[in-house]
Coordinates of all heavy atoms in Angstrom, one line a residue:
A1 N -10.0 -70.9 86.9 CA -8.5 -70.6 86.9 C -8.2 -69.4 86.2 O -7.3 -68.6 86.6 CB -7.8 -71.8 86.4
I2 N -8.8 -69.2 85.0 CA -8.6 -68.0 84.2 C -9.2 -66.7 84.9 O -8.5 -65.7 85.0 CB -9.3 -68.1 82.8 CG1 -8.6 -69.3 82.1 CG2 -9.2 -66.8 82.0 CD1 -9.3 -69.7 80.8
A3 N -10.4 -66.9 85.5 CA -11.1 -65.7 86.1 C -10.3 -65.3 87.3 O -10.3 -64.0 87.6 CB -12.5 -66.1 86.4
F4 N -9.8 -66.2 88.1 CA -9.2 -65.8 89.4 C -7.7 -65.6 89.4 O -7.1 -65.2 90.4 CB -9.5 -66.9 90.4 CG -11.0 -67.1 90.8 CD1 -11.4 -68.2 91.4 CD2 -11.8 -66.0 90.6 CE1 -12.8 -68.3 91.8 CE2 -13.2 -66.2 90.9 CZ -13.6 -67.3 91.5
A5 N -7.1 -65.9 88.2 CA -5.6 -65.7 88.1 C -5.2 -64.2 88.3 O -6.0 -63.4 87.8 CB -5.1 -66.3 86.8
P6 N -4.1 -63.9 88.9 CA -3.1 -64.8 89.5 C -3.3 -65.0 91.0 O -2.5 -65.7 91.6 CB -1.8 -64.1 89.2 CG -2.1 -62.7 89.3 CD -3.6 -62.5 88.8
R7 N -4.3 -64.5 91.5 CA -4.4 -64.5 93.0 C -4.8 -65.8 93.6 O -4.4 -66.2 94.6 CB -5.5 -63.4 93.5 CG -5.5 -63.2 95.0 CD -6.4 -62.0 95.3 NE -7.8 -62.4 95.1 CZ -8.6 -63.0 95.9 NH1 -8.1 -63.4 97.1 NH2 -9.8 -63.3 95.6
I8 N -5.7 -66.6 92.8 CA -6.1 -67.9 93.3 C -5.8 -68.9 92.3 O -6.2 -68.8 91.1 CB -7.6 -67.9 93.6 CG1 -8.0 -66.8 94.7 CG2 -8.1 -69.2 94.1 CD1 -9.5 -66.6 94.8
R9 N -5.2 -70.0 92.7 CA -5.0 -71.2 91.8 C -6.2 -72.1 91.9 O -6.6 -72.4 93.0 CB -3.7 -71.9 92.1 CG -2.5 -71.0 91.9 CD -1.2 -71.7 92.3 NE -1.1 -72.0 93.7 CZ -1.3 -73.1 94.3 NH1 -1.6 -74.2 93.5 NH2 -1.2 -73.3 95.6
V10 N -6.7 -72.6 90.8 CA -7.8 -73.5 90.7 C -7.5 -74.8 90.0 O -7.1 -74.7 88.8 CB -9.1 -72.8 90.1 CG1 -10.3 -73.7 90.3 CG2 -9.3 -71.4 90.7
N11 N -7.5 -75.9 90.6 CA -7.2 -77.2 90.0 C -8.2 -78.3 90.4 O -9.0 -78.1 91.2 CB -5.8 -77.6 90.4 CG -4.7 -76.7 89.8 OD1 -4.4 -76.7 88.6 ND2 -4.1 -75.9 90.7
A12 N -8.1 -79.4 89.7 CA -9.0 -80.5 90.0 C -8.2 -81.8 90.1 O -7.1 -81.9 89.6 CB -10.0 -80.7 88.8
L13 N -8.7 -82.7 90.8 CA -8.2 -84.1 90.9 C -9.2 -85.0 90.3 O -10.4 -84.8 90.4 CB -8.0 -84.5 92.4 CG -6.9 -83.8 93.2 CD1 -7.0 -84.2 94.6 CD2 -5.6 -84.1 92.6
A14 N -8.7 -86.0 89.6 CA -9.6 -87.0 89.0 C -9.1 -88.4 89.5 O -8.4 -89.1 88.8 CB -9.5 -86.9 87.5
P15 N -9.6 -88.8 90.6 CA -9.3 -90.2 91.1 C -9.9 -91.2 90.3 O -11.0 -91.0 89.7 CB -9.9 -90.2 92.5 CG -10.1 -88.8 92.9 CD -10.4 -88.1 91.6
A16 N -9.3 -92.4 90.2 CA -9.9 -93.5 89.5 C -10.5 -94.4 90.6 O -11.3 -93.9 91.4 CB -8.8 -94.3 88.7
F17 N -10.1 -95.7 90.7 CA -10.8 -96.6 91.7 C -10.1 -96.4 93.0 O -9.0 -96.9 93.2 CB -10.7 -98.0 91.2 CG -11.6 -99.0 91.9 CD1 -13.0 -99.0 91.5 CD2 -11.2 -99.8 92.9 CE1 -13.8 -99.9 92.2 CE2 -12.0 -100.7 93.5 CZ -13.4 -100.7 93.2
I18 N -10.8 -95.8 94.0 CA -10.2 -95.6 95.3 C -11.0 -96.4 96.4 O -12.2 -96.5 96.3 CB -10.4 -94.1 95.7 CG1 -9.7 -93.2 94.6 CG2 -9.7 -93.9 97.1 CD1 -8.2 -93.5 94.4
A19 N -10.3 -97.1 97.3 CA -10.9 -97.9 98.3 C -11.6 -97.1 99.3 O -11.0 -96.5 100.2 CB -9.8 -98.8 98.9
T20 N -12.9 -97.0 99.3 CA -13.7 -96.3 100.2 C -14.9 -97.2 100.6 O -15.1 -98.3 100.0 CB -14.2 -95.0 99.7 OG1 -15.1 -95.2 98.5 CG2 -13.1 -94.1 99.2
E21 N -15.8 -96.7 101.5 CA -17.0 -97.4 101.8 C -17.9 -97.6 100.6 O -18.6 -98.6 100.5 CB -17.8 -96.6 102.9 CG -17.1 -96.6 104.3 CD -17.9 -95.9 105.3 OE1 -19.0 -95.4 105.0 OE2 -17.4 -95.7 106.4
M22 N -17.9 -96.6 99.7 CA -18.7 -96.7 98.5 C -18.2 -97.8 97.6 O -19.0 -98.6 97.1 CB -18.6 -95.3 97.8 CG -19.5 -95.3 96.6 SD -19.4 -93.7 95.7 CE -19.9 -92.5 96.9
T23 N -16.9 -97.9 97.4 CA -16.4 -99.0 96.5 C -16.4 -100.3 97.2 O -16.5 -101.3 96.5 CB -15.0 -98.7 96.0 OG1 -14.1 -98.5 97.1 CG2 -14.9 -97.4 95.2
D24 N -16.4 -100.3 98.5 CA -16.5 -101.6 99.2 C -17.8 -102.3 99.0 O -18.0 -103.5 99.2 CB -16.2 -101.4 100.7 CG -14.8 -101.2 101.0 OD1 -13.9 -101.4 100.2 OD2 -14.5 -100.7 102.2
A25 N -18.8 -101.4 98.7 CA -20.2 -102.0 98.5 C -20.4 -102.6 97.1 O -21.4 -103.3 96.9 CB -21.2 -100.8 98.7
I26 N -19.4 -102.4 96.2 CA -19.5 -103.0 94.9 C -19.3 -104.5 95.0 O -18.4 -104.9 95.8 CB -18.4 -102.4 94.0 CG1 -18.7 -100.9 93.8 CG2 -18.4 -103.1 92.6 CD1 -17.6 -100.1 93.0
P27 N -20.0 -105.3 94.3 CA -19.8 -106.8 94.4 C -18.4 -107.1 94.0 O -17.7 -106.5 93.2 CB -20.7 -107.3 93.3 CG -21.8 -106.3 93.2 CD -21.2 -104.9 93.5
A28 N -17.8 -108.1 94.8 CA -16.4 -108.5 94.7 C -16.0 -108.8 93.3 O -14.9 -108.3 92.8 CB -16.1 -109.6 95.6
E29 N -16.8 -109.5 92.5 CA -16.4 -109.8 91.1 C -16.2 -108.6 90.3 O -15.3 -108.5 89.5 CB -17.5 -110.7 90.5 CG -17.2 -111.2 89.1 CD -18.2 -112.1 88.6 OE1 -19.0 -112.7 89.4 OE2 -18.2 -112.4 87.3
L30 N -17.1 -107.6 90.4 CA -17.1 -106.4 89.6 C -15.9 -105.5 90.1 O -15.2 -104.9 89.3 CB -18.4 -105.6 89.8 CG -18.5 -104.4 88.9 CD1 -18.3 -104.7 87.4 CD2 -19.9 -103.8 89.1
R31 N -15.6 -105.5 91.4 CA -14.5 -104.8 92.0 C -13.2 -105.3 91.4 O -12.3 -104.5 91.0 CB -14.6 -104.8 93.5 CG -13.6 -103.9 94.2 CD -13.9 -103.7 95.6 NE -13.9 -104.9 96.4 CZ -15.0 -105.5 97.0 NH1 -16.1 -104.9 96.9 NH2 -14.8 -106.6 97.6
E32 N -13.1 -106.6 91.4 CA -11.8 -107.2 90.8 C -11.7 -106.9 89.3 O -10.5 -106.7 88.8 CB -11.8 -108.7 91.0 CG -11.7 -109.1 92.5 CD -10.4 -108.5 93.1 OE1 -9.3 -108.6 92.5 OE2 -10.5 -108.0 94.2
K33 N -12.8 -106.8 88.6 CA -12.7 -106.4 87.2 C -12.1 -105.0 87.0 O -11.3 -104.8 86.1 CB -14.1 -106.5 86.6 CG -14.2 -106.2 85.1 CD -15.6 -106.4 84.6 CE -15.6 -106.0 83.1 NZ -17.0 -106.1 82.6
F34 N -12.6 -104.1 87.8 CA -12.1 -102.7 87.8 C -10.6 -102.7 88.1 O -9.8 -102.0 87.4 CB -12.8 -101.8 88.8 CG -14.3 -101.5 88.5 CD1 -15.2 -101.4 89.5 CD2 -14.7 -101.5 87.1 CE1 -16.5 -101.1 89.2 CE2 -16.0 -101.2 86.8 CZ -16.9 -101.0 87.8
I35 N -10.2 -103.4 89.1 CA -8.8 -103.4 89.6 C -7.9 -104.0 88.5 O -6.8 -103.6 88.3 CB -8.7 -104.0 90.9 CG1 -9.4 -103.2 92.0 CG2 -7.2 -104.3 91.3 CD1 -9.4 -103.9 93.4
S36 N -8.4 -105.0 87.8 CA -7.6 -105.7 86.8 C -7.2 -104.7 85.7 O -6.2 -105.0 84.9 CB -8.4 -106.8 86.2 OG -9.5 -106.4 85.4
R37 N -7.9 -103.6 85.5 CA -7.6 -102.7 84.4 C -6.5 -101.6 84.9 O -6.1 -100.8 84.1 CB -8.8 -101.9 84.0 CG -9.9 -102.9 83.4 CD -11.2 -102.1 83.2 NE -12.3 -102.9 82.7 CZ -13.5 -102.5 82.6 NH1 -13.9 -101.3 83.0 NH2 -14.5 -103.4 82.1
I38 N -6.2 -101.6 86.1 CA -5.2 -100.6 86.7 C -3.8 -101.2 86.6 O -3.5 -102.2 87.2 CB -5.6 -100.3 88.1 CG1 -7.0 -99.8 88.2 CG2 -4.6 -99.3 88.7 CD1 -7.6 -99.6 89.6

């Protein structure tokens, strides 16, 4: 962001627990534990 300013903006996203094929593979009990913290 510093190196490319001002021509290019550089940012990041930090998702938490997102429902995808990857998280669907997590055991249901553990998945519910994660969701309970949100």
